[in-house]
């Protein structure tokens, strides 16, 4: 069982240590490694503005202009603390850590967005933004984690989803990872984030409406995501891997040159609802999937790993279905897809690859032996 220990940083932000479930590991004592930095008071939240043209909320977070941007390794803010680098993690070592972002797009205050919004409506950017550090090692990526550590991160995602779901005003919880400079990361250290929004995001609203319509048309007996999973497994041409509890496939109408959906076989609204057995398998199949993606080219592939969880909206949640959408703009070894006129302006995607060929490549790619047996965390080749 993953060991979870909560503490606070010098400015009051919450930090949680998630320690691997290994025999004989003693309980962590955060009071022995307090955050001794002199930090300024936390900034006030930004604002949200209502776009009357689309009916969507836009967050305005000008204070994030001063956030840390690609620091050298000896100044990394999410490496363990050393005398020369008092970081965001006060301990000299850790397994995985979650903490409130020092430069949040949303929060730290909590509450709802204004009702009856129209042109000129503004509100406080309520919500919460957290950082998830996967490992104390500054280099590497999620695909290089041991299965034990990946399972710890899965537990962290599930724990935080449940906790954030319960906060006042939160409507949607979104764990994600941006990997690679081409995606726009601001820290090289392997990490992800979790956003807790005070509104249902535009993408989730579109998907949620489609899911609810399918659910209603089926009199509540079937879900859209479950039906798509069944169809893909029966067809087989776009399947990447199949397990006891999870399967992954390239969707029939994939938008991105590389796009894979990882879906549980059982309808659950979010990561917090997974059983222990399902979490165990998720750690395994997710690592498998990322290793296949990294094996496609000689250099690491940039990606966005997006966990779609059911919004807390009472209408949308019954039809919601947890799934991962793993996407990359990499369309060839030396080429990226840019969102230009059709995609950026019209939202009309044009894919440069065929889903069937991408799925075949991911099914048959040879994963290097070193990737199949990663070094333990803290060890080095």
């Amino acid at each position: 069982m993953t060991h979870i220990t909560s503490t606070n940083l010098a400015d009051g932000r919450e930090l949680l240590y998630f320690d691997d479930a290994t025999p004989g590991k003693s309980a962590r004592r955060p009071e022995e490694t307090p955050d001794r930095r002199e930090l300024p008071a936390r900034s006030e939240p930004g604002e949200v503005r209502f776009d009357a043209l689309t009916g969507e909320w836009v967050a305005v977070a000008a204070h994030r202009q001063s956030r840390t941007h690609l620091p050298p390794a000896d100044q990394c803010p999410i490496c363990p603390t050393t005398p020369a680098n008092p970081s965001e993690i006060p301990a000299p070592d850790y397994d995985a850590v979650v903490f409130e972002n020092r430069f949040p797009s949303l929060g730290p205050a909590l509450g709802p967005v204004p009702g009856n919004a129209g042109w000129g409506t503004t509100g406080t950017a309520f919500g919460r933004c957290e950082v998830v550090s996967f490992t104390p090692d500054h280099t590497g990526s999620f695909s290089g984690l041991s299965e034990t550590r990946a399972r710890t991160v899965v537990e962290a995602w599930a724990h935080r989803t449940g906790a954030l779901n319960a906060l006042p005003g939160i409507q949607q919880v979104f764990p994600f990872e941006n990997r690679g400079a081409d995606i726009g990361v601001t820290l090289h250290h392997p990490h992800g984030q979790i956003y807790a929004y005070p509104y249902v995001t535009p993408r989730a609203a579109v998907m949620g409406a489609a899911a609810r319509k399918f659910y209603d048309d089926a009199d509540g007996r079937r879900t859209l995501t479950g039906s798509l999973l069944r169809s893909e497994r029966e067809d087989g041409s776009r399947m990447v891997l199949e397990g006891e509890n999870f399967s992954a496939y390239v969707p029939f109408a994939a938008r991105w040159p590389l796009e894979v959906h990882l879906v549980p076989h059982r309808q659950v609204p979010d990561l917090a609802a997974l059983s222990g057995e399902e979490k165990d398998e998720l750690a395994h199949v997710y690592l498998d999937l990322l290793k296949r993606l990294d094996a496609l080219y000689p250099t690491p592939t940039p990606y966005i790993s997006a966990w779609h969880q059911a919004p807390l909206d009472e209408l949308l949640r019954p039809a919601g279905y947890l799934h991962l959408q793993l996407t990359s703009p990499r369309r060839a070894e030396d080429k990226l897809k840019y969102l230009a006129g059709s995609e950026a302006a019209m939202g009309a995607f044009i894919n440069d690859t065929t889903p069937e060929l991408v799925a075949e490549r991911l099914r048959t790619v040879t994963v290097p032996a070193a990737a199949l047996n990663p070094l333990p965390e803290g060890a080095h080749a």
Side-chain angles (χ1 to χ4, degrees), residues 5-6 45 47 62 67 86 105 109 144 153 224 234-235 240 260 366-368 378:
T5 309
S6 176
E47 66 176 1
R67 69 187 185 275
S105 301
V153 176
L224 179 56
E234 290 173 355
D235 179 277
V240 176
V260 185
T366 300
V367 178

Side-chain angles (χ1 to χ4, degrees), residues 45-345:
E47 66 176 1
V48 290
R49 297 188 178 193
F50 185 73
D51 181 358
L53 196 63
T54 63
E56 299 169 0
W57 289 99
V58 177
V60 179
H63 59 281
R64 281 173 54 80
Q65 289 281 27
S66 60
R67 69 187 185 275
T68 307
H69 183 75
L70 298 178
D74 62 357
Q75 297 174 33
C76 175
I78 55 177
C79 280
T81 280
T82 66
N85 179 36
S87 74
E88 291 279 69
I89 295 90
D93 197 15
Y94 64 87
D95 291 343
V97 163
V98 179
F99 61 93
E100 290 186 76
N101 197 323
R102 188 177 172 187
F103 305 98
S105 301
L106 302 166
L110 298 167
V113 293
N116 300 315
W119 181 88
T121 301
T122 65
T124 303
F126 293 125
R128 182 148 163 166
C129 295
E130 299 183 339
V131 177
V132 184
S133 182
F134 305 144
T135 169
D137 296 333
H138 183 71
T139 57
S141 68
F142 197 110
S143 65
L145 299 181
S146 69
E147 198 162 309
T148 297
R149 179 61 48 77
R151 178 62 175 82
T152 300
V153 176
V154 169
E155 193 62 43
W157 288 334
H159 177 280
R160 299 313 302 149
T161 293
L164 295 172
N165 279 348
L167 293 180
I170 298 304
Q171 291 295 304
Q172 182 183 342
V173 176
F174 173 48
F176 64 98
E177 180 195 357
N178 298 326
R179 204 279 285 270
D182 291 316
I183 294 297
V185 297
T186 57
L187 294 174
H188 291 304
H189 193 119
H191 74 287
Q193 301 178 66
I194 305 175
Y195 276 22
Y197 300 93
Y199 49 82
V200 178
T201 60
R203 179 70 172 157
V206 170
M207 294 172 61
R212 182 69 206 209
K213 182 180 184 305
F214 185 96
Y215 183 79
D216 287 343
D217 289 346
D219 296 325
R221 294 192 301 270
R222 292 187 298 150
T223 62
L224 179 56
T225 300
S227 176
L228 294 175
L229 172 62
R230 187 179 308 108
S231 296
E232 292 289 0
R233 295 183 76 184
E234 290 173 355
D235 179 277
S237 63
R238 288 169 297 277
M239 295 303 300
V240 176
L241 60 87
E242 296 184 75
E244 291 294 322
N245 300 292
F246 286 86
S247 288
Y249 59 86
V250 178
F252 174 78
R255 286 168 161 77
W256 294 91
L258 292 172
E259 179 173 347
V260 185
H261 294 187
L262 178 61
V263 184
H265 295 172
R266 179 174 69 97
Q267 182 198 9
V268 292
D270 52 34
L271 290 154
L274 293 174
S275 68
E277 180 183 345
E278 288 168 329
K279 292 175 187 174
D280 292 344
E281 183 175 295
L282 176 56
H284 176 78
V285 298
Y286 185 47
L287 281 174
D288 184 332
L289 186 57
L290 292 181
K291 289 170 184 176
R292 290 170 188 265
L293 191 73
D294 274 344
L296 290 176
Y297 298 108
T299 56
T301 290
Y303 63 73
I304 296 174
S305 178
W307 288 100
H308 289 263
Q309 308 196 101
L312 296 171
D313 179 274
E314 292 181 358
L315 177 66
L316 301 180
R317 193 163 179 84
Y321 199 126
L322 168 72
H323 65 284
L324 171 76
Q325 293 189 3
L326 181 66
T327 60
S328 174
R330 194 172 197 176
R331 60 188 178 91
E333 181 177 342
D334 58 348
K335 295 183 177 68
L336 294 175
K337 177 181 181 64
Y338 293 96
L339 300 190
S342 185
E343 290 88 358

